[in-house]
Amino acid sequence: MSHTHKLPPELTAQLARMIRRVRAILLMRGLLAVAAVAVGAVLAIMAVDAAVVLMLPAVRWGFSLAGLALAAATAWSMLVLPLSRPLTLTRMARVLETRHPDMQERISSAIELAEHGGAEAERASAELVTLLTQEAKSDLAGVTPKQEFTVRTVKPFLLAAAGVALVLGLLFAVWPKQSWLLFLRALAPHREFDT
């Protein structure tokens, strides 16, 4: 049974805001990575098809399924796995304490004592728990989610997604008919198009 309600609400609220921020960053990075890989795979298929004209349906299917598999693998590794890992108050506290060694594990210790409650809390001095909680609150007061977890890690994924989208857009602007045909052939290998 969890006893985190014994912690000051501002302590748990601040950690919860950090958890939400980290999850939002992971979601943005994952979506941009999937978009970049999916569009990049379509561009690669279009380039191969333009160079050699993939006539055999089996070959077209092979390329299209490989692109789909690559996008699915990216979605699994960049979205599903990171977002399925639980990010608890204690784990977030440990992340912060790793980044700020001067916190000396006061936040995670205060959370763990409050979570365990019962016999362990009775063994610990009530004064010690109160002091530890106050120090943890003080440590957390100077830390903000936006400063601690910036969107810098999103930038490479944003640039990659924007780059492949720009290339695709340029192809459609310069060679609209050919690009549209190649795009359809990449996405629908089961259909025959007049080339």
Side-chain angles (χ1 to χ4, degrees):
M1 181 178 163
S2 178
H3 294 272
T4 49
H5 63 276
K6 294 179 183 176
L7 288 170
E10 58 270 27
L11 187 70
T12 54
Q14 179 77 327
L15 288 170
R17 279 194 295 275
M18 291 189 184
I19 290 170
R20 284 193 298 274
R21 175 124 178 123
V22 167
R23 290 202 168 281
I25 289 170
L26 289 173
L27 179 65
M28 279 191 291
R29 282 174 40 178
L31 290 174
L32 288 169
V34 171
V37 169
V39 176
V42 169
L43 282 172
I45 295 166
M46 288 170 63
V48 171
D49 198 10
V52 297
V53 185
L54 301 172
M55 295 305 291
L56 294 174
V59 176
R60 284 177 53 204
W61 270 102
F63 274 97
S64 295
L65 289 176
L68 181 63
L70 193 58
T74 304
W76 177 258
S77 65
M78 295 295 297
L79 274 173
V80 176
L81 287 180
L83 292 173
S84 65
R85 291 186 189 115
L87 195 50
T88 62
L89 294 177
T90 305
R91 186 167 171 216
M92 179 51 65
R94 287 199 176 117
V95 168
L96 286 174
E97 291 163 349
T98 302
R99 297 171 134 205
H100 301 277
D102 54 307
M103 291 181 177
Q104 300 177 351
E105 298 183 6
R106 288 185 287 260
I107 302 170
S108 59
S109 298
I111 292 169
E112 286 169 355
L113 283 171
E115 282 178 342
H116 289 108
E120 283 189 46
E122 286 172 19
R123 273 188 255 133
S125 162
E127 291 174 11
L128 174 64
V129 172
T130 303
L131 179 65
L132 191 60
T133 302
Q134 288 303 320
E135 288 179 356
K137 195 167 116 181
S138 172
D139 286 340
L140 209 51
V143 180
T144 64
K146 283 186 180 179
Q147 288 175 330
E148 201 61 37
F149 302 102
T150 66
V151 292
R152 272 194 316 250
T153 60
V154 175
K155 191 176 179 182
F157 299 97
L158 178 61
L159 291 174
V164 291
L166 180 65
V167 170
L168 188 63
L170 286 173
L171 287 175
F172 273 97
V174 177
W175 299 289
K177 283 185 181 177
Q178 298 90 332
S179 297
W180 186 245
L181 175 64
L182 291 168
F183 183 75
L184 290 176
R185 284 172 57 86
L187 292 183
H190 60 285
R191 286 188 55 195
E192 284 301 323
F193 298 95
D194 184 11
T195 56

